[in-house]
Amino acid sequence: MKTKCTWVLGLVTLTIGLPIASAADAAANWEEYCASCHGATGKADTKMGQKLKLKDYSDAKVQAALTDEALLKATLEGVTVDGKQKMKPYAEKLTAADAKALVGLIRSFKK
Ligand code: HEC
């Protein structure tokens, strides 16, 4: 019990002490900004994901159809189809490095 407490405390300290926006934050950014729609593991297995008919990023075919540039652009600039914004841009919340790290994370969702 005591060791567990120390461990948790250490983890909390570590999390708070981390410098902002390192690549290791990709998972945290995903959780905070993206998972509500795209799902924790990119499968779009959320209410929003199903409503919006989002792609399943664990599907190799889906991954193959998307370029890194397209993923990066969508993340930073959002997605607009026929003049309608389907996903808002995240350029204000994320740095280019954050967005790149998220693209890496999306790639890692592939089965
Ligand atoms: C409010 C729900 C919502 C949130 C939150 C959201 N997205 Fe999206 N995302 C969408 C929609 C809708 C599309 C467009 C899907 C389409 O056109 O088929 C999309 C498309 C994308 C695409 C383009 C590839 C594709 O699947 O068509 C990428 C990459 C992407 N999102 C990444 C992200 C990242 C990274 C975040 C977090 C920073 C995020 N999204 C947050 C709804 C969301």
Side-chain angles (χ1 to χ4, degrees), residues 1 10 17-18 26-29 34-35 39-40 55 60 66-67 71 78 82 85 89-91 96 99 105 107:
M1 188 59 191
L18 275 178
N29 282 333
C34 325
K55 290 164 194 155
L66 295 163
T67 63
L71 293 174
D82 295 334
Q85 192 179 73
Y90 283 88
L105 188 74
R107 290 305 191 195

Side-chain angles (χ1 to χ4, degrees), residues 5 18 23 26 29 36 38 44 46 48 51-53 57-58 61 65 75 83 87 91-93 95 97-98 101:
C5 282
L18 275 178
N29 282 333
S36 56
H38 290 282
T46 62
M48 283 298 275
K51 207 176 120 189
L52 297 166
K53 298 194 173 59
Y57 294 145
S58 73
K61 267 189 256 154
T75 303
M87 180 182 131
E92 275 176 25
K93 298 219 164 67
T95 64
D98 286 338

Side-chain angles (χ1 to χ4, degrees), residues 41-79:
T41 54
K43 286 186 180 170
D45 49 354
T46 62
K47 262 196 193 140
M48 283 298 275
Q50 289 183 345
K51 207 176 120 189
L52 297 166
K53 298 194 173 59
L54 297 186
K55 290 164 194 155
D56 176 357
Y57 294 145
S58 73
D59 186 333
K61 267 189 256 154
V62 168
Q63 289 271 355
L66 295 163
T67 63
D68 284 353
E69 290 72 41
L71 293 174
L72 193 67
K73 191 165 186 277
T75 303
L76 287 171
E77 297 171 23
V79 180

Side-chain angles (χ1 to χ4, degrees), residues 94-106:
L94 304 167
T95 64
D98 286 338
K100 271 208 182 122
L102 281 170
V103 170
L105 188 74
I106 290 173

